[in-house]
Amino acid sequence: DGNGFCFWSHRSRGIFQVTYTVLARRYRSQDFGEVIGQAAIADTLRRAVEGDRTAHAYLFAGTRGVGKTTMARLFARAMNVADDLKDAAAIAEAIMRGDDLDVIEIDGASNRGVQEARDLIAGAGLSPARCKYRIYIIDEVHMLTTESFNTLLKTMEEPPEHVKFILCTTEPQKVLATIQSRCQRFDFKPIPRRLIADHLRTILAQEGVEMDDAAIGRVAELGNGSMRDALSVMDRVLAGGDTSISAEKLEEMLGLPEAGLIDAVISAIASGDSKAALEAADALLAGGTSIDQALAALTESLRRMLLLRTCGSDTEVLDLTDEARESLSVQAEQFEPASLVHGIAVCEAAARQGRLGASARAVFDAALVRLALAAQLIDPASVPSPIASGGTKKKRSVERSEPKPSPKATKPKPAAKAKAKAKAKATPPPASETLEQIWTRLVDSASGQAAKAIFDGIEPIRFDADLIIVRSSTGPMSRLVL
């Protein structure tokens, strides 16, 4: 009926059945200009058809749901459907449905053997039934076996004049180099979140559903660069039948971590209140959020704040609504960039340890307390050094077998012994030179990028005999020998 529903009746029983068509199929692009996020590729292919400069084989590579199969059908339609063609409209519709006689779509996952490749070669020798070309669209072509690829090599290199190949894959590295060298390759990029959100607004307007900008942005984020994934999430949301959907309703329907509780955890960490952080996290988990989801949401919030603190509140790196950007900027002001980097590292480590350890909840709670008490951790400058406190370094337990001195060897003179002893002793820094001056001279003396990278994230604290005590933002306290 034009709205995604198909009606049919069983006359003998008088039963009517309604079949729903998902959004990804119902709103599939019908023209090169409608393909979201792949304008450069669409323009190149359209110009190739207009200039009659189409190659015999193409390779469309990219992640799932970015328009590879849709672009292949549009390209095939543009090559095969001319204005003077009889039944042009019906043929064009059949191509876009994927069931045309002259545009054969093959699933590489279920037709991956040598025999299927031989059947394809045999069919390629047949002339097209109605159109100019016989076009083969092979989806997930990387699933073909090496033997199948080798069988197709000669045909793909020098096919009949009426045959075209369009190969689609999500893993181009698995396609043999000998096959890729015979194709024109086009790499489909992940679709920007902003373009996904704009397309979702257009679809919602046609569906007669109202949704908050925050909820639309969340669905676009869940798409992760894939339009099909975003539309699949939207299908789940619209299945409830609501005509007005808020961000809170979206979180409830999809089982997402509640944004308010994530903010409460971050606020408690910023204020150093471990009790409040644990209570907010407990409420988050009690609502049905898994520990992995909670850590992922917390990590994403810390990442966004890091970008705002590093790139500025008006950065275009983050695609946020004005309200969300303002709220997050206020929250980010409570943290230093180094603290946010530390927080992300702690959350990532907790996620790994939780999956491998015996108690994921214990690791999760410990990570929250560690983040909340980060400001109260002991200062490296306050730790007494073993030299200053009269301690001595432990001797190595491994004894080296050194040759015993010869009885006839002459003893060194007292003057030479004193000179060697003075040379071995570390020379303390000049009293007139400050710690900052010595540190600057030490950094400047490093040669090469690898050597200079050692000093990144290191801050000098104080002298300790022949040592400089330093504080590292990426690791524990260290001592650097002068």
Side-chain angles (χ1 to χ4, degrees):
D1 67 344
N3 295 319
F5 294 92
C6 177
F7 299 90
W8 64 275
S9 64
H10 194 291
R11 294 184 179 180
S12 61
R13 298 182 180 179
I15 299 174
F16 289 87
Q17 180 171 343
V18 179
T19 302
Y20 175 74
T21 304
V22 296
L23 298 176
R25 292 178 56 193
R26 198 179 342 149
Y27 291 96
R28 186 187 292 271
S29 301
Q30 299 297 316
D31 188 76
F32 281 125
E34 295 180 5
V35 181
I36 308 298
Q38 314 297 344
I41 297 176
D43 187 60
T44 300
L45 296 178
R46 179 178 57 81
R47 290 178 180 272
V49 175
E50 292 175 353
D52 196 18
R53 296 179 61 87
T54 57
H56 63 274
Y58 292 84
L59 177 63
F60 293 170
T63 187
R64 65 184 185 278
V66 294
K68 299 186 298 300
T69 303
T70 297
M71 189 74 78
R73 292 179 179 179
L74 291 172
F75 190 34
R77 186 185 69 179
M79 288 189 289
N80 262 4
V81 180
D83 295 334
D84 58 348
L85 182 65
K86 186 180 179 179
D87 297 331
I91 294 174
E93 185 178 351
I95 292 175
M96 295 308 296
R97 288 198 311 266
D99 56 7
D100 185 63
L101 295 176
D102 295 326
V103 180
I104 301 96
E105 294 194 19
I106 301 173
D107 178 23
S110 55
N111 298 275
R112 59 195 306 263
V114 175
Q115 186 57 48
E116 286 81 0
R118 290 174 178 170
D119 293 341
L120 188 153
I121 294 173
L126 302 176
S127 299
R130 299 176 294 179
C131 302
K132 183 178 181 180
Y133 298 109
R134 190 173 182 86
I135 303 173
Y136 290 92
I137 300 175
I138 306 179
D139 202 8
E140 299 300 332
V141 70
H142 65 271
M143 297 293 291
L144 296 182
T145 63
T146 303
E147 293 77 9
S148 300
F149 277 128
N150 291 329
T151 305
L152 290 173
L153 277 178
K154 187 62 178 179
T155 303
M156 290 196 62
E157 183 177 14
E158 297 178 359
E161 293 183 357
H162 61 271
V163 173
K164 304 282 187 182
F165 290 97
I166 304 177
L167 314 181
C168 303
T169 179
T170 56
E171 301 183 44
Q173 73 279 1
K174 293 185 178 180
V175 179
L176 293 184
T178 50
I179 292 290
Q180 296 196 37
S181 65
R182 290 162 169 79
C183 302
Q184 285 190 13
R185 175 170 170 171
F186 291 88
D187 290 291
F188 287 64
K189 299 179 180 179
I191 304 174
R193 191 180 305 173
R194 173 180 54 82
L195 297 180
I196 295 179
D198 292 342
H199 189 57
L200 292 178
R201 291 187 182 94
T202 302
I203 292 176
L204 289 171
Q206 297 183 42
E207 294 290 322
V209 177
E210 296 182 358
M211 183 177 288
D212 293 349
D213 286 342
I216 294 176
R218 192 66 186 276
V219 174
E221 179 185 348
L222 293 174
N224 195 26
S226 170
M227 181 64 74
R228 186 170 63 239
D229 287 2
L231 291 177
S232 297
V233 174
M234 187 62 71
D235 266 317
R236 292 171 55 191
V237 175
L238 298 184
D242 294 332
T243 57
S244 180
I245 302 172
S246 62
E248 292 76 13
K249 182 67 175 179
L250 179 73
E251 292 173 354
E252 180 182 351
M253 296 174 69
L254 299 180
L256 302 175
E258 187 176 341
L261 291 176
I262 294 293
D263 292 341
V265 173
I266 293 177
S267 298
I269 290 174
S271 60
D273 190 346
S274 57
K275 177 177 179 293
L278 291 174
E279 290 176 346
D282 183 70
L284 185 65
L285 299 181
T289 302
S290 67
I291 293 177
D292 285 341
Q293 287 180 316
L295 285 171
L298 186 60
T299 303
E300 178 62 21
S301 295
L302 294 174
R303 183 191 75 88
R304 292 179 176 180
M305 289 190 290
L306 176 63
L307 293 177
L308 290 177
R309 291 286 285 146
T310 305
C311 304
S313 59
D314 57 347
T315 179
E316 296 182 357
V317 177
L318 284 175
D319 187 11
L320 300 172
T321 62
D322 295 338
E323 182 180 356
R325 186 181 296 271
E326 182 179 358
S327 175
L328 196 61
S329 297
V330 173
Q331 199 172 43
E333 291 298 327
Q334 303 176 76
F335 296 91
E336 293 296 328
S339 300
L340 295 171
V341 172
H342 173 68
I344 293 174
V346 170
C347 290
E348 286 295 321
R352 290 193 300 269
Q353 295 173 6
R355 287 190 290 266
L356 300 176
S359 177
R361 181 61 186 272
V363 174
F364 177 60
D365 291 343
L368 294 179
V369 174
R370 180 180 179 183
L371 292 176
L373 300 181
Q376 303 178 23
L377 295 179
I378 189 167
D379 187 358
S382 64
V383 180
S385 100
I387 298 178
S389 60
T392 59
K393 296 181 179 180
K394 294 183 179 180
K395 296 182 180 180
R396 295 182 179 179
S397 58
V398 180
E399 296 182 358
R400 298 180 179 178
S401 57
E402 299 180 356
K404 296 182 179 180
S406 174
K408 298 181 180 180
T410 57
K411 294 183 180 181
K413 296 181 180 180
K417 185 186 298 185
K419 185 177 181 180
K421 185 176 180 180
K423 185 177 180 179
K425 184 178 180 181
T427 304
S432 60
E433 198 171 17
T434 63
L435 176 61
E436 290 75 13
Q437 292 173 337
I438 295 175
W439 185 256
T440 301
R441 176 165 54 82
L442 186 62
V443 173
D444 293 340
S445 64
S447 59
Q449 295 183 354
K452 291 182 179 297
I454 297 176
F455 297 95
D456 291 344
I458 296 179
E459 176 188 1
I461 303 300
R462 59 185 173 86
F463 284 121
D464 188 354
D466 59 340
L467 302 174
I468 293 181
I469 304 299
V470 298
R471 178 192 293 119
S472 173
S473 61
T474 59
M477 181 187 70
S478 305
R479 285 182 170 83
L480 187 65
V481 181
L482 280 174

